[in-house]
Amino acid sequence: MIAVKATLVRDLTLLLRRRGEVLNPLVFFALVITLFPIAISPDPELLAVIAPGLLWVAALLAALLSLDSLFRSDYDDGSLEQLLLAPQPLAALSLAKVAVHWLLTGLPLALMAPVLGIMLALPAGSYAILALSLALGTASLSLIGAIGAALTVGLARGGVLLSLLVLPLYIPVLIFGAGAVQAAILGDGVAAHLAILGALLAASLMLAPWAIAASLRISING
Amino acid sequence: MWAFIHKLGSPKWFYTISAKLQPWFWAAAVLLLVVGSLWGLAFAPADYQQGNSFRIIYVHVPAAFLAQSIFISMAVSGLVFMVWKIKVADMAAAVMAPLGAAMTFVALFSGAVWGVPTWGTWWMWDARLTSMLILLFLYLGVIALRGAFTSRDSASRAASVLAMVGVINIPIIKYSVDWWYTLHQPASFTLTSRPAMPTEMWLPLVIMVLGFYSFFIALTLMRTRSEILRREANKRWVQDLVKGQVEETR
Amino acid sequence: MSLCLQARQLACERDDRWLFQGLDLDIRSGEIVRIEGPNGSGKTSLLKILSGQLSDYQGELFWNGAAMNDAREHFLANLLYLGHAPGIKSGLSPLENLAWYQALSGESNEESSGANGHEEQRLDALERVGLAGFEDVPAGQLSAGQQRRVALARLTLTPRALWVLDEPFTAIDRHGVADLERQLVAHAQSGGCVLVTTHHELTASPLLRRIALG
């Protein structure tokens, strides 16, 4: 338990000292959202229709952006080996790393989304659900994505491959996440969507740490 | 049981036994596919609504079945490889991936062709086609991951893990895509879920499905055999085998 | 307590090439075992197998007579491995780096020695490797040799019986090399065992044993 806490604290400290890395996904999120009205149309009525999907897709891509670095620096400087050799369950230690990723990527994205929602003329009444669905959903995304990050950490250019591996697995979360926001706008069925998002998170929490641990052991072998 | 599993795991044993099995599966595949195609394309009655275009079903459905089955067999092979370190299982998984991707593509393409007379367009975001498309991406991911490693051992393990992760996700993806589809396009006209197909229509379909499976097994056996030769090229038994064949031809 | 790491008929095949085959090893308390061999002869792979990182091998490993799979937890609790890369985070100070390693090694007796006690230990360990005064400098600003010394501070910080060291002398100055050599001998004399690869010529010692690969 001490080791898990220490890993959590260590990764938080490291990332908070390099604030740029924490801010980049947020800036990316805002930028991508800016592109859509420019590319499609500034018409608020049209934007309101596609806003839930746009916000979710852009947040998903922003969360994906920072995944590659999840284990990369640990792999490069050799502390990943040490993590593997700790007399502690690797699954628990990697869970701590994923938790940091969510705290510094998923959660800020969820908190920022309502602001961008205003810019896309997202109908009132769906803002809280937008933030909540993103907070729940990005936790699953971090967990699933970490499997891909662990599989590709040993590869010199794993970045694009990582997206290729992980994006298809993101689709259920995207469907129910964007669906929750849409349901909130229509005023119907929000609870069901959120419940399924919760179920997806529970399943990822149970299974992903083992897959991450197994993948890390493979990657360390080169 | 253990002894059996490990005997099965020996590439040499697999190579010998598959040589005996292979012709039977090829024969079954050719027979079933010829009978099924002739029956399905020439003798089965035309659909009262779709006319002759419905006959694409005899390619589309078996390919779609196979696309999913191959992914499952790939994941099972991966599991066998990871748990019992049986290399033949990994070789089989390696040769299955491109075949599965090809079948997924065939299912997608035949679906698109079928879409022209039924929907008047090459592509609809139909629940089945969408799931198939995602399955194709999953296949491509496994193939790309296997190709990205320089060490084959690591590549095998990584591909196995990804196949297992994928197979857990396939039902979830299917379920969520169905949910998404019913929410956005209340059930209109789906390609294959037809109520009460008459016997003379579905019997050839069953034959075609069996034919596709036999073809898959035969092809997998064949390709696994050449993969064995490739990977075990510096093993004693393979060199003896080659020497024997060279002398035979002299 | 006497410890013993045994390997029987160890073989490692990486992509159709045998790195080594039929290797029998007995590593016991009070020994320094040096693995020798030319580049690419599998020294690092052997160390990784013996430290339980690589599972891709044939043959059997025993820890104190028990099969490695059953004894893994006890084995890891007695192992200190230093790899090619020092495992030091450049964004953290040496003290912070060591604090993480201390927590990772599972020393949960915060109550008995107190958090301050741990801090004392870390300062002592850094002083022993000659890094007094660098405790709070971000490790990224230290030289390669100094970073290696931070990693070596773990040898005193977390008492472990079995040391597995992959090229520990890399980037260290002559003075540091002599210190480290003395430390290895002292560890073996006090009942620990050391498994080491190095291109540096170790001073002959009755405790030193060589194993050649390739």
Side-chain angles (χ1 to χ4, degrees), chain C:
Chain C
M1 178 182 168
S2 115
L3 296 167
C4 170
L5 176 65
Q6 290 169 307
R8 288 287 168 270
Q9 289 299 308
L10 207 61
C12 178
E13 184 189 19
R14 296 306 290 270
D15 298 318
D16 299 327
R17 196 168 69 87
W18 287 102
L19 289 177
F20 43 83
Q21 263 178 305
L23 198 64
D24 285 336
L25 276 178
D26 281 88
I27 300 155
R28 295 175 186 282
S29 292
E31 273 189 317
I32 302 175
V33 177
R34 180 180 170 193
I35 312 282
E36 295 175 336
N39 293 75
S41 59
K43 297 191 294 286
T44 294
S45 295
L46 179 60
L47 286 200
K48 284 195 167 180
I49 290 172
L50 291 176
S51 60
Q53 294 179 62
L54 256 178
S55 54
D56 211 15
Y57 60 88
Q58 290 166 28
E60 278 164 299
L61 287 182
F62 299 94
W63 175 245
N64 289 341
M68 185 56 92
N69 275 342
D70 306 326
R72 191 172 162 83
E73 216 162 299
H74 184 258
F75 170 74
L76 287 180
N78 280 288
L79 167 78
L80 202 156
Y81 170 87
L82 294 184
H84 268 282
I88 298 302
K89 283 271 157 229
S90 54
L92 297 178
S93 72
L95 266 185
E96 289 166 324
N97 269 300
L98 290 185
W100 180 62
Y101 279 115
Q102 219 165 12
L104 203 61
S105 68
E107 299 204 352
S108 52
N109 45 356
E110 292 267 349
E111 307 87 37
S112 57
S113 57
N116 286 334
H118 277 160
E119 171 106 17
E120 281 301 308
Q121 288 172 8
R122 294 196 283 272
L123 289 170
D124 282 350
L126 284 175
E127 202 187 323
R128 274 206 58 174
V129 294
L131 285 177
F134 290 95
E135 292 91 350
D136 291 317
V137 180
Q141 293 173 19
L142 300 178
S143 73
Q146 284 174 316
Q147 289 193 17
R148 173 70 61 176
R149 281 163 183 262
V150 179
L152 289 172
R154 293 175 54 208
L155 295 177
T156 28
L157 185 66
T158 36
R160 292 290 166 85
L162 173 64
W163 292 357
V164 177
L165 312 174
D166 197 355
E167 301 288 350
F169 296 97
T170 313
I172 295 193
D173 59 28
R174 202 187 309 154
H175 200 68
V177 168
D179 277 348
L180 180 55
E181 259 194 77
R182 272 198 296 279
Q183 206 178 353
L184 298 189
V185 173
H187 183 62
Q189 274 165 349
S190 63
C193 44
V194 179
L195 190 61
V196 63
T197 65
T198 175
H199 294 294
H200 164 78
E201 202 45 58
L202 293 174
T203 336
S205 148
L207 302 173
L208 181 66
R209 197 152 62 87
R210 293 155 195 275
I211 291 169
L213 286 184

Side-chain angles (χ1 to χ4, degrees), chain A residues 92-159:
Chain A
L93 295 173
S94 32
L95 195 59
K97 292 189 71 70
V98 177
V100 171
H101 180 260
W102 176 75
L103 275 174
L104 294 184
T105 313
L107 194 59
L109 286 173
L111 295 176
M112 191 180 159
V115 181
L116 299 173
I118 297 174
M119 292 163 68
L120 289 182
L122 189 72
S126 56
Y127 286 80
I129 299 299
L130 173 67
L132 186 61
S133 69
L134 273 173
L136 265 178
T138 47
S140 306
L141 297 186
S142 293
L143 281 161
I144 300 167
I147 303 175
L151 280 172
T152 53
V153 67
L155 305 170
R157 271 183 290 277

Side-chain angles (χ1 to χ4, degrees), chain A residues 14 17 73-74 77 82 221, chain C residues 14 54 81 87 89 91 96:
Chain A
L14 272 171
R17 280 189 192 161
S73 77
D74 281 352
D77 67 20
Q82 302 295 339
N221 287 355
Chain C
R14 296 306 290 270
L54 256 178
Y81 170 87
K89 283 271 157 229
E96 289 166 324

Side-chain angles (χ1 to χ4, degrees), chain B residues 121-134:
Chain B
T121 166
W122 288 88
W123 184 262
M124 281 276 263
W125 288 96
D126 161 80
R128 259 166 226 272
L129 286 183
T130 311
S131 301
M132 265 302 148
L133 185 63
I134 299 169

Side-chain angles (χ1 to χ4, degrees), chain B residues 160-173:
Chain B
S160 304
V161 168
L162 187 63
M164 285 188 268
V165 171
V167 95
I168 294 173
N169 273 279
I170 285 177
I172 302 175
I173 292 172

